[in-house]
Amino acid sequence: MAGKKRLNNSRYITGFDGLRAIGVIGVILYHLMPYTFTGGYLGVPIFMVVSGYLITDLLVQEWEQNHWINLKSFYLRRVKRLYPGLLTMLFATGAYITLFERQMLHNLNQIIITNILYVYNWWQIGHGQSYFDRFANNESPFTHLWTLSIEGQFYLLWPFVVVALIIGFKNKGRIARVLLGAGLVSAIWMAILYHPNADPSRLYYGTDTRMFSILVGAALAFVWPSTALKQKIIPRQRWTLDGIGLLSTITMLILMVKMNAESAFVYRGGLFIFSLLICVLVAVVAHPGSDWNRLLTNPVFNWLGKRSYGIYLYQFPVMIFFEGVFKNVAAHPALYPVIEVAIIFGLTELSYRFIEQPLAHYPYQELGQRMRQFVKHPTLNRQSGLVFGMAIVFLVGLVGVIQAPGQPAPDAHKSALAVNIQKNKKENDARNKALVEKAKAQNKQQKKAKSKAQADKEAEAAAQKHPVNQEYEKYGLTQVELQKAQSMPITAIGDSVLLDAGKTLQTLFPNMLVDASVGRQLNKSTPVVDSYAQKGALSDTVLISLGTNGSFTQAQLDEFMAAIGSQRKVFWLNAYVPTRPWQNDVNQMLKGAAKKYPNLTIINWYDQARKHGDWFYDDQVHPNPVGVKEYAAIVTKALVKQ
């Protein structure tokens, strides 16, 4: 009968919209400003715990009411709820890529198909996709969809699991313990797979290593069913619930600001503990005798919560494409994020009103009849216009899917950069071995360090006796400066910017050991320093070029400087990354570090680079052949003046 309530005693808990709102706000802030809201990614476990609780609670209600679960109805509800928004986002993004960002076409077909099948997270793992390399060329607008695949896998299997648990164990408390145990196994498995010096993306994406968030929510549904909770409770019980809710909320918000996604604690129990914390908060919000359902219910949270799925879907494409058009992101750290959020919310509202909600309630059984009527009597109205518009978007996206190559399309400038970096990497590897052995031999001889005055005097004498083929003029250096550079032993550690300029630097500094790697960040660089120190190959002068790929904490910087030691002179190039928001964070951190560490000198690459757009490849970060000479000259002048 039309309008009949599917479950007799089900409750719509409006406070869960508030939790979803907090979760999606955290995720957006993390993606916009990952080094300000370092724990915003924890919005995802909030979604997972709430989903685990709600879906399990509804399935248990249906089993207890009907003694069976209508699988067809369950899957149809999920499909009608999830696929309209997902397909629209996938093909609209594909259409934009086809028209304006064709260098992103590679693997588009595989990306869309694996998202439709809800196995995209495993595709990301199989293809070595990093969640944390925010400076990858052609960063994918689909990166965030891994979590939808995990939830899709959960929806597919969970009705069978729930029925098997109920029939097999009968006792709800025992079932909850089994689910908690399975969640604990998942968390332990994550801890076992974690390696401190490796990219944790495999653990971040994996269903096996992230399932515990859903499982703890599901366990709660068996011992805390929403329909069995009493609204009328004594004041002491209400105060207890409200106090627990307050403590949980405060702790949740602190962790969502402070908990770094790449710290060891996250993968060695931190995410599991956070999921348990959210599970407690879900229990408080679900209880009708608590005040937290009311506190998390307001028009803003309701709007955000109901549209959280769409907001999550559209956030990354908007950010990636917006920042692809407006390159000077670092120059507008407040304005651009506001504009991006406004666009995300606008697209989400359009999708919610005209796609997600209408198609979630569309009478698909009448689709054939309505199409025949339209063919016989075509009419142009808002509905037909929307259908035609979406059809065009889907067709353009489909063209991109068909055209998608398996490998990135070549680009002249980026290929030149890639070839240069690859060539420099090979040459560095061979040169570094010889330099390490040379440094070991010198350390065994225990030569005394020369004074600056003595080194300058020797360089001047050498310059008079052995001129260096006018090379100094090319770099704006004096012959004495170049002669001094020729004899200086230096250890240089950095990322792809240093690797791009490494060969030129080694022309000026033949004794410079360059250890640079694409995507390298400070939090993974301390072991590199330790390795050279243990080999006796860490020079008294150390050049650092880190910060291109992300910011870092004060603790990470302190650990890095401690590894180098206070007796060595450290020269650190500040960051020029106008296309990323963390540029200013890095440079501010380095400015403060120079005051803290007497042996640290900041080379102001940023101040020179921002005046010369012609020094860079199209990415506006890596120096082209002209920029490399300027980069090398700036570095050389700083080093020879020490």
Side-chain angles (χ1 to χ4, degrees):
M1 185 172 71
K4 182 180 178 181
K5 191 175 180 180
R6 186 173 62 86
L7 297 174
N8 296 332
N9 301 315
S10 62
R11 298 167 48 215
Y12 185 84
I13 304 170
T14 54
F16 286 164
D17 284 334
L19 286 178
R20 293 190 187 98
I22 293 171
V24 79
I25 289 171
V27 170
I28 287 180
L29 289 175
Y30 175 71
H31 288 152
L32 285 172
M33 294 172 282
Y35 299 100
T36 301
F37 298 93
T38 56
Y41 66 95
L42 292 171
V44 170
I46 295 176
F47 290 130
M48 289 183 168
V49 174
V50 171
S51 293
Y53 177 78
L54 279 177
I55 295 299
T56 306
D57 187 49
L58 292 172
L59 288 172
V60 172
Q61 284 183 52
E62 185 172 0
W63 177 266
E64 291 180 342
Q65 176 180 298
N66 305 323
H67 301 293
W68 66 296
I69 292 175
N70 188 332
L71 292 176
K72 179 181 177 182
S73 176
F74 176 82
Y75 291 127
L76 279 177
R77 289 194 303 274
R78 301 279 77 73
V79 168
K80 291 167 72 174
R81 169 71 181 90
L82 300 175
Y83 271 97
L86 177 63
L87 291 175
T88 301
M89 175 267 175
L90 289 173
F91 281 91
T93 303
Y96 186 93
I97 289 172
T98 303
L99 295 174
F100 305 111
E101 297 283 354
R102 294 187 64 83
Q103 75 277 6
M104 293 186 179
L105 272 176
H106 62 282
N107 289 328
L108 180 64
N109 48 2
Q110 297 179 39
I111 290 171
I112 289 182
I113 290 171
T114 53
N115 270 293
I116 291 173
L117 297 176
Y118 285 126
V119 292
Y120 180 57
N121 64 319
W122 291 109
W123 184 91
Q124 289 173 296
I125 291 171
H127 285 73
Q129 301 274 305
S130 174
Y131 184 78
F132 302 99
D133 185 2
R134 294 299 312 278
F135 195 69
N137 284 333
N138 304 327
E139 186 179 10
S140 173
F142 305 102
T143 299
H144 63 307
L145 299 182
W146 65 272
T147 181
L148 301 185
S149 289
I150 291 180
E151 294 217 22
Q153 295 158 31
F154 166 67
Y155 295 142
L156 178 65
L157 300 174
W158 202 240
F160 299 98
V161 174
V162 168
V163 172
L165 289 171
I166 292 174
I167 294 175
F169 292 97
K170 296 181 176 62
N171 182 277
K172 289 185 177 181
R174 189 179 302 165
I175 294 172
R177 289 193 293 273
V178 169
L179 292 175
L180 279 175
L184 183 59
V185 169
S186 173
I188 292 173
W189 180 234
M190 171 181 273
I192 291 172
L193 294 181
Y194 176 75
H195 294 286
N197 297 321
D199 187 321
S201 295
R202 156 66 181 92
L203 313 180
Y204 201 83
Y205 290 142
T207 306
D208 55 339
T209 52
R210 294 304 298 266
M211 201 64 186
F212 53 78
S213 296
I214 293 177
L215 291 175
V216 297
L220 179 66
F222 279 99
V223 295
W224 199 263
S226 62
T227 55
L229 303 174
K230 298 178 181 180
Q231 185 167 2
K232 293 183 178 181
I233 56 177
I234 62 175
R236 181 181 296 176
Q237 292 173 328
R238 189 185 60 158
W239 297 336
T240 300
L241 284 172
D242 288 348
I244 293 172
L246 178 62
L247 182 61
S248 301
T249 301
I250 292 173
T251 307
M252 172 188 71
L253 295 176
I254 291 172
L255 292 175
M256 289 183 72
V257 173
K258 297 292 186 181
M259 194 166 161
N260 192 303
E262 295 183 75
S263 68
F265 171 69
V266 169
Y267 304 96
R268 290 175 172 167
L271 277 172
F272 184 67
I273 293 170
F274 183 81
S275 298
L276 292 175
L277 174 72
I278 298 303
C279 186
V280 171
L281 186 54
V282 165
V284 172
V285 173
H287 201 295
S290 162
D291 291 308
W292 275 95
N293 184 54
R294 177 176 55 83
L295 291 171
L296 292 175
T297 301
N298 58 68
V300 174
F301 276 7
N302 289 348
W303 190 92
L304 289 169
K306 290 180 184 300
R307 292 157 180 78
S308 58
Y309 177 63
I311 293 172
Y312 190 87
L313 281 174
Y314 290 105
Q315 55 161 329
F316 233 54
V318 169
M319 294 175 192
I320 299 301
F321 296 146
F322 181 90
E323 293 172 10
V325 174
F326 298 93
K327 301 287 189 180
N328 57 338
V329 173
H332 302 279
L335 176 62
Y336 280 4
V338 170
I339 295 174
E340 291 176 67
V341 169
I343 296 172
I344 293 167
F345 285 179
L347 288 175
T348 298
E349 182 64 18
L350 292 173
S351 176
Y352 185 80
R353 288 193 182 190
F354 299 113
I355 297 172
E356 296 172 50
Q357 284 297 296
L359 292 182
H361 303 94
Y362 188 82
Y364 288 93
Q365 65 275 14
E366 301 176 10
L367 179 60
Q369 179 184 350
R370 293 188 180 188
M371 290 181 65
R372 288 192 295 270
Q373 288 178 348
F374 181 81
V375 171
K376 292 180 181 178
H377 306 286
T379 57
L380 290 178
N381 52 36
R382 188 178 71 176
Q383 186 176 23
S384 60
L386 178 64
V387 171
F388 279 120
M390 291 307 302
I392 292 172
V393 170
F394 272 79
L395 286 174
V396 175
L398 187 60
V399 169
V401 170
I402 295 171
Q403 293 180 341
Q407 297 297 327
D411 177 275
H413 293 299
K414 290 179 181 176
S415 294
L417 171 62
V419 168
N420 184 51
I421 286 176
Q422 186 176 10
K423 182 180 178 181
N424 287 356
K425 180 67 174 172
K426 289 182 179 179
E427 293 181 2
N428 279 345
D429 290 344
R431 179 192 290 264
N432 287 350
K433 290 181 180 179
L435 289 174
V436 168
E437 293 304 318
K438 182 178 179 180
K440 287 180 179 178
Q442 289 177 340
N443 285 336
K444 286 181 180 178
Q445 296 174 13
Q446 296 182 340
K447 292 184 176 180
K448 295 182 179 180
K450 298 175 183 178
S451 68
K452 182 180 185 301
Q454 183 182 357
D456 289 345
K457 186 176 180 180
E458 290 181 3
E460 186 173 355
Q464 292 175 356
K465 290 182 179 180
H466 307 288
V468 194
N469 299 325
Q470 309 300 312
E471 279 288 309
Y472 55 89
E473 294 181 353
K474 188 190 302 184
Y475 298 98
L477 304 170
T478 68
Q479 186 171 330
V480 173
E481 287 174 334
L482 184 58
Q483 193 71 52
K484 184 177 179 182
Q486 296 279 305
S487 62
M488 286 182 65
I490 297 170
T491 303
I493 297 172
D495 49 38
S496 56
V497 174
L498 178 64
L499 192 55
D500 178 28
K503 184 176 181 180
T504 302
L505 282 173
Q506 287 172 325
T507 299
L508 299 171
F509 296 90
N511 294 316
M512 176 182 284
L513 186 155
V514 176
D515 190 315
S517 178
V518 175
R520 178 176 283 167
Q521 297 196 44
L522 179 67
N523 63 345
K524 302 298 181 185
S525 300
T526 299
V528 178
V529 174
D530 289 337
S531 174
Y532 286 118
Q534 290 168 7
K535 294 174 184 176
L538 190 63
S539 301
D540 289 337
T541 300
V542 180
L543 175 67
I544 305 298
S545 177
L546 293 169
T548 304
N549 301 294
S551 188
F552 37 82
T553 65
Q554 185 64 51
Q556 290 167 346
L557 190 148
D558 291 340
E559 180 186 23
F560 185 73
M561 290 297 294
I564 294 175
S566 60
Q567 301 304 311
R568 294 184 175 90
K569 294 179 180 179
V570 182
F571 293 81
W572 199 316
L573 287 129
N574 61 9
Y576 180 67
V577 202
T579 58
R580 291 296 186 267
W582 57 75
Q583 170 194 270
N584 301 338
D585 294 335
V586 169
N587 292 342
Q588 193 64 33
M589 182 74 74
L590 291 178
K591 186 177 179 181
K595 298 176 182 178
K596 182 176 181 179
Y597 294 98
N599 64 324
L600 174 61
T601 299
I602 304 302
I603 301 176
N604 199 348
W605 167 241
Y606 163 80
D607 195 48
Q608 296 298 317
R610 66 188 180 90
K611 303 172 186 176
H612 300 280
D614 58 319
W615 287 2
F616 298 94
Y617 288 104
D618 287 346
D619 66 3
Q620 298 190 30
V621 175
H622 292 87
N624 58 27
V626 174
V628 161
K629 291 180 181 178
E630 301 295 339
Y631 178 97
I634 290 169
V635 170
T636 303
K637 285 181 180 292
L639 291 175
V640 298
K641 287 179 181 178
Q642 62 174 301

